[in-house]
Amino acid sequence: MTTTRRVKTAVAAAGISSFALLYAPQPVLPQLAAQYHLDPGGAALAVSVATGSLAIAVLPIAALSEVVGRRPVIVTSVVASVVFGLLLPLMPTYPALLVLRALQGIAIAGFPGVAAAYLAERLGRAGVAAAVGAMIAGNTVGGMLGRLSAGFSAGPLGWRGALYVVAGIGAVCAAITVVTLPPGTARGKVRLKAVVNGLVTAVRRPVLLAQYAVALLAMGSFVALYNAAGFRLTGDPLNLSPAIASLVFLAYATGSVSSAAAGRLVARVGRRRAVIGSLLLMAAGAALTLPDSLPLVIAGFLVLTCAFFAAHAVANGWAAADAPEDARGQVGGMYTATYYLGSSIGGAAGANVDGDAGWGWLIALVAIWLLLAAAAVGAGTRISTEHRELVPS
C-alpha cells in the first residue's frame, strides 16, 4: 500500500470511529427522553455536551500537536474515545452519562482538530483537497453507520446495548488507524510564542474567518435538524417506529458522495460559488421538510445532507490550503472549534425551538443561520481580494 493510500485509509477509519461515537446517542434521544423524563432539549444534551466539550478542547489539543506531533495526538484520540464509548452504557444516571460524554468529546477532539494539518504536512498543498474530501467521506460514513447501528439496535437491545454496538464498530476502526497511520513529518523545536502567533494569524484573515462562519452556522443548522428529526418522525402525524425513523440517516450516503466530489466542484465553479451555492441548497432542502408528507421530508433531508457535506468539505479544505505554514494547526483547531461549537449550540437550540414552537419555526431559524453564513463568505472573500489588490507585489 502506498503512503498516500495508507494516509487516506487511516484518516477515513479514524473519521468513521470518531463520528460514529460522537453522534451515537442521536437516534436514541426519544428513548433517553422517555427513560429519564426529559423534554427534547434535555435529551439533546447527550449530543450537545460532547460536541461542546470537543469545541472547547480542540484548540489546546491542536496547540499540543505543534509540540508532540500530529500522529500521537490522533492515535491517542481514537483509542481514548473508544474506551469512553465502552464505559458509557454502564453509567447509572443521566448526569453521570453527560459527564462521561463530555470526557468523550474531549478525547474525540484530537482527531478532527489535527487531521487537516496532518494531511497538509504529509501530502502537501496539492494533495490536501482530495485527502480532506476522503477524510470527510469517512466522517460521513461514520456518522451514518453509528446512527443506523444505534437506531436498529435500540429496539432489541435497548439504548445501552445500542451504544455498545457502536463502541464495537469504533474499536475496529481505531485499530485500523493505529496500524496504518504513517508518522507525521519531522518537526523542529516549537516555542510557545510561535504557537500564540499562529493563533493570532488564524483569527486575523477575513477569508479564514468566513470559513469559520460556515463551520459554525452550517453545522449548527445541520445538527439542529437531525437532533429534532427523531421527534418529528416518531411523533404526530408521521408516527414512525424508532427503527424506521433511523433510516433518515441513510441520507448521509449522499454526503459521502458530495464531500468526495467537492474538489471537482471547486475546479468547475470556484470555492466562493461552491460554498455559497451549497449553503443556499441546504436552506432549500430544509424547506422541503415543512409539509407533513413523508416523501417530501425524506427528499428534504437528502438535499440538506448532500449540500451540507459539500459546503463543509470545500470550507475545510479552503481553510487548510490558505492557512500559513506556521499556523496550520491553529487554523485547523479554529475551524474544528467553531464547527463543534455550532453543533453544540445549534443542536441544543434547535431541539428547544422544535419542542417549544414546532418544526416550522426551527426551519425559519435554520434558514436565517444559513443566509448569514453565505453572507459571511461573500464578505470575507471580497475583503481578502481587495486587500491583495492594495498590497504592492
Side-chain angles (χ1 to χ4, degrees), residues 388-393:
R388 284 196 299 269
E389 290 174 348
L390 291 172
V391 175
S393 57

Side-chain angles (χ1 to χ4, degrees), residues 37 96 117 156 183 204 208 226 234 276 313 320-321 324 363 376:
H37 308 292
R204 288 182 63 184
L208 294 177
Y226 269 102
T234 59
I276 292 176
I363 299 303

Side-chain angles (χ1 to χ4, degrees), residues 146-335:
R147 290 165 166 101
L148 287 173
S149 299
F152 276 93
S153 302
L157 302 178
W159 67 265
R160 296 181 191 272
L163 295 185
Y164 270 129
V165 169
V166 178
I169 294 170
V172 172
C173 294
I176 293 172
T177 298
V178 171
V179 171
T180 59
L181 187 68
T185 55
R187 305 183 60 77
K189 186 176 180 180
V190 179
R191 297 182 181 275
L192 177 61
K193 183 179 180 180
V195 174
V196 173
N197 288 341
L199 183 58
V200 171
T201 301
V203 297
R204 288 182 63 184
R205 295 191 175 187
V207 69
L208 294 177
L209 293 175
Q211 310 320 312
Y212 307 152
V214 173
L216 177 74
L217 295 167
M219 183 58 163
S221 301
F222 185 71
V223 175
L225 291 172
Y226 269 102
N227 272 359
F231 297 97
R232 170 133 171 86
L233 293 171
T234 59
D236 292 331
L238 300 178
N239 295 312
L240 301 180
S241 69
I244 298 300
S246 69
L247 288 175
V248 71
F249 298 113
L250 284 173
Y252 270 57
T254 67
S256 67
V257 174
S258 65
S259 60
R264 295 193 296 273
L265 179 64
V266 169
R268 177 172 296 182
V269 302
R271 289 168 172 165
R272 182 173 178 271
R273 289 182 179 178
V275 174
I276 292 176
S278 296
L279 292 170
L280 296 179
L281 190 59
M282 277 186 71
L288 276 177
T289 68
L290 280 169
D292 292 328
S293 164
L294 185 58
L296 284 178
V297 171
I298 292 171
F301 273 101
L302 288 170
V303 172
L304 170 85
T305 306
C306 179
F308 166 72
F309 280 104
H312 172 39
V314 177
N316 196 3
W318 193 346
D322 276 23
E325 185 175 349
D326 59 351
R328 283 173 177 158
Q330 292 89 329
V331 170
M334 279 298 302
Y335 185 91

